[in-house]
Amino acid sequence: MQSNEIRSRFLKFFEARGHKIIPSASLIPENDPSVLFNTAGMQPLIPYLLGQKHSEGARLVNVQKCVRTQDIDEVGDNTHDTFFEMMGNWSLGDYFKEEAIKWSYEFLTSKEEGLGLDPKRLYITVFEGDENAPKDTEAFEIWQKYVPESRIYFMSAKTNWWSVGENGPCGADTEMFYDVTSEGLGDLTKEEYIKADQEQKVIEVWNDVFMEYEKKDGKVVGKLKQRNVDTGAGLERVLMAVQGKDNIFETDLFQPMIKIINNSINSNDEKAKRIVADHIRTSVFIIVDGVIPSNTARGYILRRLLRRAIRYANILGIDKIKIGELVDVVVDKYGPTYPNLIQNSENIREEILQEGNKFRRTLNNGLKEFEKGINPFILFTTYGFPIELIEELAKEKGVTIDRQDFDRKMKEHQDKSRTASAGMFKL
Ligand code: SER
């Protein structure tokens, strides 16, 4: 089963259970200055989770584009990426745990309507309780209708409490994991399950959040007006499970990119290949939603992703023609689902190639400069190295850089340029 089929099965499954299909919002949040990009399907729905009426009703379903860059250093392992699609269904004060769990299980395991996954490879976690909310025995009991008790584990708020930030809706969650090993792990004790999770032998495929609390300034302050369900299943990870792969880069979403890379170079550096593929794919999606590389906010995140991709492409020997081909296959692969990629393909390609050209001009000289001794301020201002890339290079060399000193110098530099341009306008 390919990615297109899975997206459409998900939407149909929940439509048949009374949900209205809503389109993916842009990656750029509307009316939410707290984040640069949408990081979860629920983000555009926060006002409705807090009680505002949604025009499409109380049951919604969609596949939302998301960008998360906090785990950028993990990209290259089996499961991390900076762009992903989150399949989600929501109850805005309508159904609660009973239906949410039943439908998650049915979608995961049904051969006719869902993914047809093997129920014997499923593991479940539920919230063990703390000072904010009681132990979730209700979810535990509901799960026992579908999964043996020996594969359901109580876990702390560290993993089984979900909130969007310091302010907003939150609640206990129940997470579903799937065994992606070829041999099959069978029954696991809680300790064995935790180890299997760390080793990426079981992967999280879905998270059902029972959103009934509210957080203010980092503290849970009480219950919301309504009890909501907010679920999220990462398409790439679901694909791993369905397609029997042990990493996201072998699924149909990434394969066309990895093939181009493998056909053009001869290297075993899988991590570098995965970083190039991931960062180019994310950049395509950020650009189509209207961002261009720059030195501030979203534009800086984009610049950082592209320059990091170029650095790894350089190590691997991937030239700009191949980068162009990588952009084209992302557009081909995702175009049927997101037609604005096709309409804007020329522009996306141009932005990515231009940024690559700019950075290629200074990359090698900057690396030579770096070898002489690390001056982050010079590398940033003269050679255009994003500070995070400088930190990464320094780490590879086994040294740390003084970030505070860098930030101070940057501030002085910016203040000076501001004074200079302010002076100019006075004339
Ligand atoms: N908001 C939850 C998550 O991001 C479930 O969708 O995991």
Side-chain angles (χ1 to χ4, degrees), residues 7 27 65 83 85 253 280-290 326-350 352:
R7 283 191 202 93
L27 277 174
K65 300 182 284 182
F83 167 86
E85 290 167 278
L253 287 178
I280 295 291
R281 185 181 71 139
T282 305
S283 301
V284 167
F285 276 97
I286 292 180
I287 293 169
V288 81
D289 278 346
L326 291 177
V327 174
D328 294 344
V329 292
V330 176
V331 172
D332 284 351
K333 183 74 208 172
Y334 286 91
T337 313
Y338 302 103
N340 63 346
L341 288 173
I342 302 171
Q343 287 139 21
N344 294 291
S345 59
E346 280 306 309
N347 174 42
I348 300 169
R349 208 171 194 275
E350 195 49 37
I352 291 180

Side-chain angles (χ1 to χ4, degrees), residues 40 42 68 86 162 207 209 230-232:
M42 56 75 73
R68 287 187 191 174
M86 188 181 276
W162 204 89
N207 181 14
V209 187
D230 155 43
T231 91

Side-chain angles (χ1 to χ4, degrees), residues 126-130 133-136 154-157 160 190:
V126 289
F127 181 54
E128 69 179 17
D130 65 7
K135 183 171 178 171
D136 199 351
F154 279 102
M155 306 287 285
S156 75
N160 285 61
K190 184 172 169 180

Side-chain angles (χ1 to χ4, degrees), residues 10 14 87-90 95-108 124-127 136 139 142-143 159-162 171-177 204-211 228-233:
F10 186 80
F14 283 98
M87 303 188 287
N89 58 288
W90 291 275
Y95 61 84
F96 206 45
K97 297 183 187 180
E98 187 75 49
E99 292 89 336
I101 290 175
K102 177 178 187 300
W103 291 336
S104 289
Y105 179 78
E106 280 177 8
F107 183 73
L108 289 174
I124 308 298
T125 62
V126 289
F127 181 54
D136 199 351
I142 299 167
W143 270 120
T159 54
N160 285 61
W161 183 271
W162 204 89
D173 65 39
T174 176
E175 302 189 342
M176 290 144 261
F177 289 76
E204 185 195 330
V205 285
W206 207 341
N207 181 14
D208 289 359
V209 187
F210 306 118
M211 247 171 198
N228 308 292
V229 172
D230 155 43
T231 91

